[in-house]
């Protein structure tokens, strides 16, 4: 596995091959895996993600002459983009890959920060559309690069919000704040407990070498701009309204039960997921602080069942991985497993005994392929660093 510095050097080399001169600046931002607290961020709840050691890296150098423009190239096969900085910025058609960096450029422009022309090369080890926040990694790496180029340093919260706005307004995805926050604020060996209402964060150490987080990519692409995500958001808002609270963060399970007869049954189940998940997230943070891995695992399974049955954002392939993990069980070294991220494909995260991780990974890979005909990708990640400047 390459270190982040090695990855930076590789991208520098590719930049030089592409543009015929070395880069002056290099910035990176990670993807994430959410340990627990799913679909709670836009309900003012708690989330508990960590950065993974998969990064989007951008290398850049000043572009020569006026007119000022930004040239973006990517190593993942997307065509180059040329952005004229003298014109007002506006989103490219939906689905255009460079809408993410474009939205971040627009965020700097909106703050009156003058960005000079530059040429950039983007490279990523975060699987695209795999539910590991490849989009947040692209936004946050762009913002980190622009901070470096302009010398205009943003406060971390403002930076995450700028990136979230880019995703809303340029990529058309009404996401919450989790992905951008963790990509900005991740720390090695820590999970991030984030209160999405107050935006207060607590870094919770996770240094016990006896456990690992094993990530399984079902290799079923998730498509969150497809409307289901926005629909869930709307259902949560409707449920909060019918309960007479500002957001589901303010509702209790007892309150929801009392309103059962009067609440639309779908909204009721959506709300039951969110209310339960917020509680599970706080319990999981407590259990991680106590290295109570059996408890963390139990909460992960409960989260998954709730996402599958009440929130309905799972899919047969995610369910297959969780069932295989459950069958391996604690005796085989698996404490818990759940889908992670928005859902409808993408990844699961499993908490496993470190000494058994290889055997577990092999078994999941073999059984999953047997059941679905799809080859999964599995990897382990320690909690990694958030956005990093590699060359300033
Ligand atoms: C996506 C969104 C996040 C969050 C998760 C679900 O990753 O970008 O804001 O809502 O889904 O927890």
């Amino acid at each position: 596995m390459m270190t982040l510095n090695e990855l930076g050097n590789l991208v520098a080399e590719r930049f030089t091959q592409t543009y015929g001169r070395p880069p002056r600046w290099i910035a990176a931002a990670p993807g994430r895996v959410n340990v627990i607290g799913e679909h709670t961020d836009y309900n003012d709840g708690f989330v508990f993600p960590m950065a993974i050691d998969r990064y989007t890296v951008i290398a850049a150098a000043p572009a020569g002459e006026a007119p000022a423009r930004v040239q973006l190239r990517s190593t993942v096969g997307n065509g180059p983009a040329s952005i004229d900085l003298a014109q007002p910025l506006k989103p490219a058609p939906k689905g255009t890959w460079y809408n993410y960096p474009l939205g971040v450029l627009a965020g700097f422009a909106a703050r009156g920060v003058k960005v000079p022309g530059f040429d950039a090369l983007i490279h990523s080890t975060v699987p695209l559309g795999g539910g590991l926040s490849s989009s947040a990694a692209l936004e946050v790496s762009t913002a980190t690069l622009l901070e470096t180029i302009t010398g205009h340093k943003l406060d971390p919260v403002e930076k995450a919000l700028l990136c979230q706005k880019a995703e809303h307004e340029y990529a058309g995805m009404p996401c919450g704040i989790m992905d951008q926050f963790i990509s900005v604020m991740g720390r090695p060996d820590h999970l991030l407990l984030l209160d999405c209402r107050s935006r207060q964060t607590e870094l919770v150490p996770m240094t016990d070498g006896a456990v690992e987080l094993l990530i399984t990519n079902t290799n079923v692409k998730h498509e969150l701009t497809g409307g289901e995500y926005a629909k869930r958001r709307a259902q949560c808002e409707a449920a909060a309204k019918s309960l007479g609270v500002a957001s589901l963060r303010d509702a209790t399970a007892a309150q929801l039960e009392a309103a059962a007869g009067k609440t639309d049954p779908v909204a009721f189940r959506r709300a039951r997921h969110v209310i339960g998940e917020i509680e599970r997230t706080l319990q999981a943070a407590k259990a991680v602080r106590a290295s109570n891995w059996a408890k963390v695992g139990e909460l992960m399974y409960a989260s998954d069942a709730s996402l599958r049955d009440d929130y309905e954002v799972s899919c047969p392939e995610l369910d297959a991985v969780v069932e295989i993990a459950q069958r391996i069980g604690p005796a085989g070294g698996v404490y818990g497993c759940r889908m992670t991220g928005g859902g409808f494909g993408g990844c699961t995260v499993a908490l496993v005994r470190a000494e058994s991780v290889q055997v577990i990974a092999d078994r999941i890979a073999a059984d999953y392929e047997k059941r679905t005909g799809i080859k999964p990708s599995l990897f382990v990640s320690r909690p990694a660093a958030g956005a990093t400047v590699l060359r300033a």
Side-chain angles (χ1 to χ4, degrees):
M1 179 86 199
M2 234 186 267
T3 65
L4 182 52
N5 275 316
E6 287 164 350
L7 183 62
N9 291 339
L10 180 96
V11 180
E13 239 167 71
R14 301 278 287 266
F15 182 98
T16 309
Q17 285 160 10
T18 308
Y19 288 106
R21 62 192 197 286
R24 181 184 300 175
W25 309 286
I26 306 177
R32 62 99 187 90
V33 71
N34 188 20
V35 174
I36 197 164
E38 216 67 81
H39 289 278
T40 48
D41 60 353
Y42 52 83
N43 288 297
D44 285 344
F46 288 85
V47 292
F48 201 29
M50 68 175 210
I52 55 174
D53 49 21
R54 298 285 172 121
Y55 287 86
T56 295
V57 178
I58 312 187
E65 301 304 303
R69 49 157 199 81
V70 170
Q71 191 177 178
L72 297 172
R73 286 174 188 271
S74 155
T75 60
V76 293
N78 291 307
S82 182
I83 299 158
D84 183 349
L85 293 172
Q87 301 296 322
L89 300 174
K90 55 177 195 321
K94 201 165 176 164
T96 305
W97 74 272
Y98 58 83
N99 263 329
Y100 303 96
L102 192 56
V104 174
L105 274 164
F108 276 74
R111 284 163 178 76
V113 182
K114 202 159 159 34
V115 178
F118 63 88
D119 293 333
L121 183 71
I122 301 168
H123 178 78
S124 190
T125 57
V126 187
L128 298 183
L132 298 173
S133 284
S134 51
S135 27
L138 180 50
E139 291 147 12
V140 174
S141 56
T142 304
T144 307
L145 179 77
L146 294 181
E147 286 180 315
T148 312
I149 293 178
T150 62
H152 185 92
K153 208 62 187 102
L154 299 166
D155 163 80
V157 171
E158 186 188 1
K159 182 172 170 182
L161 294 175
L162 182 157
C163 290
Q164 182 201 27
K165 192 169 171 184
E167 181 136 357
H168 286 183
E169 293 179 3
Y170 278 72
M173 154 66 179
C175 62
I177 63 173
M178 167 169 70
D179 305 345
Q180 292 78 12
F181 267 70
I182 184 63
S183 189
V184 171
M185 296 176 198
R187 280 272 179 84
D189 293 328
H190 289 81
L191 307 183
L192 183 76
L193 181 66
L194 167 63
D195 178 339
C196 300
R197 169 169 272 169
S198 69
R199 295 176 186 144
Q200 271 189 349
T201 55
E202 181 193 337
L203 285 161
V204 179
M206 177 144 176
T207 49
D208 186 345
V211 289
E212 295 277 14
L213 288 159
L214 174 65
I215 296 157
T216 303
N217 190 342
T218 60
N219 286 327
V220 176
K221 288 255 177 224
H222 81 152
E223 193 37 90
L224 289 182
T225 44
E228 286 300 322
Y229 186 90
K231 212 174 177 180
R232 295 298 180 288
R233 277 197 83 141
Q235 288 165 335
C236 289
E237 276 158 32
K241 202 165 170 204
S242 84
L243 291 170
V245 291
S247 74
L248 289 177
R249 166 73 177 272
D250 300 315
T252 62
Q255 225 175 333
L256 181 68
E257 284 305 329
K262 296 173 271 157
T263 313
D264 164 74
V266 173
F268 177 85
R269 283 187 292 117
R270 303 296 187 252
R272 185 163 62 187
H273 164 71
V274 173
I275 294 167
E277 186 77 354
I278 291 173
E279 183 53 37
R280 280 188 290 274
T281 305
L282 290 170
Q283 285 181 26
K286 219 183 253 174
V288 168
R289 286 187 207 104
S291 300
N292 185 348
W293 306 121
K295 178 73 186 170
V296 177
E298 190 187 296
L299 292 162
M300 288 170 82
Y301 282 131
S303 163
D304 189 76
S306 173
L307 287 158
R308 183 189 62 209
D309 301 335
D310 275 351
Y311 218 64
E312 295 180 279
V313 291
S314 190
C315 66
E317 294 83 0
L318 288 167
D319 295 346
V321 179
V322 175
E323 275 167 40
I324 294 162
Q326 240 152 351
R327 206 160 298 155
I328 299 170
V334 178
Y335 293 104
C337 182
R338 57 181 290 277
M339 56 153 282
T340 184
F344 304 107
C347 292
T348 63
V349 56
L351 180 68
V352 304
R353 210 163 47 218
E355 60 185 25
S356 316
V357 66
Q358 195 54 54
V359 178
I360 294 167
D362 291 346
R363 165 93 184 269
I364 292 177
D367 286 5
Y368 177 78
E369 192 177 349
K370 215 178 290 157
R371 281 176 66 159
T372 63
I374 305 166
K375 260 201 189 330
S377 322
L378 289 94
F379 67 98
V380 163
S381 177
R382 301 295 308 169
T388 305
V389 177
L390 295 171
R391 192 179 293 184

